[in-house]
Amino acid sequence: MHRQTVHCLTHSAAWKSAGGGVFVTLMAAVCAVGSAHAAGEAASAPSTAPASAPAASAPVASTPTTPLAKPQEPRERHAGTFWQGTVGKGADNPGWNVWLSVYDPPPKARDQDKDPVADTLTGDAYDDRPQGRTMWTIEGRNAPERRFVWRERADALDPSGQPMVREGGTLSGALSADGTAATGTWSDGGRSQPFTLKRAARYREITGTAGQATITERYPVTGDAAIDALVQSLRINRCDQYDTECVIRISAVGLGDTVSLLRMVWAYSGGAHGNYGFTAGNWRRGAQGFQPITLADVLNPTSACLQSFNTQVVGALKREGAPEATRGVLKEKDLRNPAFPFTLQGDRVVVHYGPYEVGPYSSGAFRAAVRVDDLGAACRRPTT
């Protein structure tokens, strides 16, 4: 499978995720609580990996390796937050996990809408609920007194294969006084479950220039030196001398003893539209610090496992509406590529596809989620 940067959407449409999930919401209250801290974090966080960072924090992407050019006269802002938590967890219910990035509206959008209650935020979300979708779009608005409401939505196909929008549940809750936790109730069709979230990172956005290009970069800052060094290792330039605009976004997918980060680069150098593509970084914490992992470290890298995995990938892409799902099959070399665009969400492996990879330009990007337990014995790694 060809995994290089591909021709893609126009800038305004580049963030369409035809198959998957974007948790969209609220939380201007987060900015109210955290804006004073965000400036301090922005000043103190390193722009490159600290000298004391462990060797395991070296860049995992195979190419390119040129350090990101420092923008001239950069503008910096707090751009959002990353949350992790559970829904429905209790003494007799394991519930499910959720991972949520919430992005603040751009400054211009805020200027047009002065009412903080009406701010609508965007983001990305994943969950590992049994028998459910892995990814959702969530639309919501802020509410007074630190309260918020998120409504789940997702693009899908109906039984006849026609595109449709699937409505999910609603999460309504409130932030803690310090803005580091959120609690509330998830409800859907008369069912309800409690949820709890913890803030694991803040997103920082820097906009400036390098040569003739305008560069906008967004990445998470956790306050954990080892994890932040991993983030810094993905801050490598994918823009070239011919670009007039470049956007680099590093998204947290999971943070903890396993760290999963997705990196997207969009660039425009003229013509009808720009180009974008994905790489990723995945690490596990061990006795020697964080070590990079590939799909071969997650699955048994045999031909039988690869066949089983590809069957699941193609099926997932078809369910998400990818017109050319069979083009999404992986090759053996993809299993050992540390920059291959896969991320880990609980017991699922998610493979990320840019435009043109599994459908025409107009279809946008897709994600295929595969539950490891569905792969069978062929993919179980041998125990020692």
Side-chain angles (χ1 to χ4, degrees), residues 321-355:
E324 300 176 64
T326 55
R327 291 173 52 190
V329 297
L330 282 67
K331 294 179 169 53
E332 194 279 334
K333 65 180 181 180
D334 296 327
L335 300 178
R336 293 177 171 81
N337 179 2
F340 183 79
F342 81 95
T343 53
L344 300 170
Q345 291 92 40
D347 66 345
R348 289 181 171 101
V349 176
V350 179
V351 183
H352 302 260
Y353 299 85

Side-chain angles (χ1 to χ4, degrees), residues 260-278:
S260 196
L261 302 170
L262 182 68
R263 180 174 182 267
M264 186 282 303
V265 177
W266 179 93
Y268 178 75
S269 57
H273 53 76
N275 303 318
Y276 79 89
F278 300 101

Side-chain angles (χ1 to χ4, degrees), residues 25-43:
T25 91
L26 63 37
M27 287 201 213
V30 173
C31 296
V33 173
S35 59
H37 301 292
E41 289 180 355

Side-chain angles (χ1 to χ4, degrees), residues 104-260:
D104 296 349
K108 288 183 179 179
R110 287 190 227 168
D111 291 342
Q112 295 169 0
D113 190 350
K114 300 295 185 181
D115 182 1
V117 177
D119 285 344
T120 300
L121 308 191
T122 62
D124 304 305
Y126 305 82
D127 69 60
D128 62 357
R129 74 186 73 178
Q131 309 302 319
R133 293 183 60 90
T134 308
M135 298 156 282
W136 288 92
T137 295
I138 294 207
E139 298 179 348
R141 289 188 177 274
N142 300 316
E145 299 179 357
R146 299 180 176 274
R147 299 200 63 82
F148 57 86
V149 177
W150 305 333
R151 185 176 62 255
E152 298 176 333
R153 304 187 68 183
D155 295 328
L157 297 178
D158 64 19
S160 65
Q162 297 300 310
M164 60 173 289
V165 176
R166 176 183 173 186
E167 300 289 344
T170 298
L171 295 93
S172 58
L175 297 175
S176 62
D178 62 1
T180 63
T183 57
T185 302
W186 174 87
S187 58
D188 182 17
R191 298 174 299 159
S192 63
Q193 299 277 3
F195 70 81
T196 60
L197 299 172
K198 292 291 186 182
R199 190 184 70 201
R202 283 195 173 104
Y203 283 101
R204 178 177 304 153
E205 184 176 277
I206 301 174
T207 302
T209 59
Q212 67 172 354
T214 299
I215 295 181
T216 301
E217 183 189 18
R218 186 178 69 199
Y219 59 94
V221 178
T222 69
D224 182 313
I227 294 178
D228 286 339
L230 303 180
V231 175
Q232 294 295 329
S233 77
L234 293 185
R235 293 184 64 196
I236 48 181
N237 191 6
R238 192 64 178 270
C239 309
D240 64 37
Q241 60 180 326
Y242 302 107
D243 294 331
T244 59
E245 187 175 0
C246 186
V247 178
I248 301 172
R249 292 182 173 174
I250 299 172
S251 300
V253 177
L255 300 176
D257 287 339
T258 297
V259 173
S260 196

Side-chain angles (χ1 to χ4, degrees), residues 70-91:
K70 183 178 180 180
Q72 300 172 4
E73 300 179 359
R75 297 186 303 277
E76 189 168 322
R77 74 181 183 99
H78 170 80
T81 46
F82 175 71
W83 302 79
Q84 299 182 141
T86 59
V87 177
K89 186 175 182 179

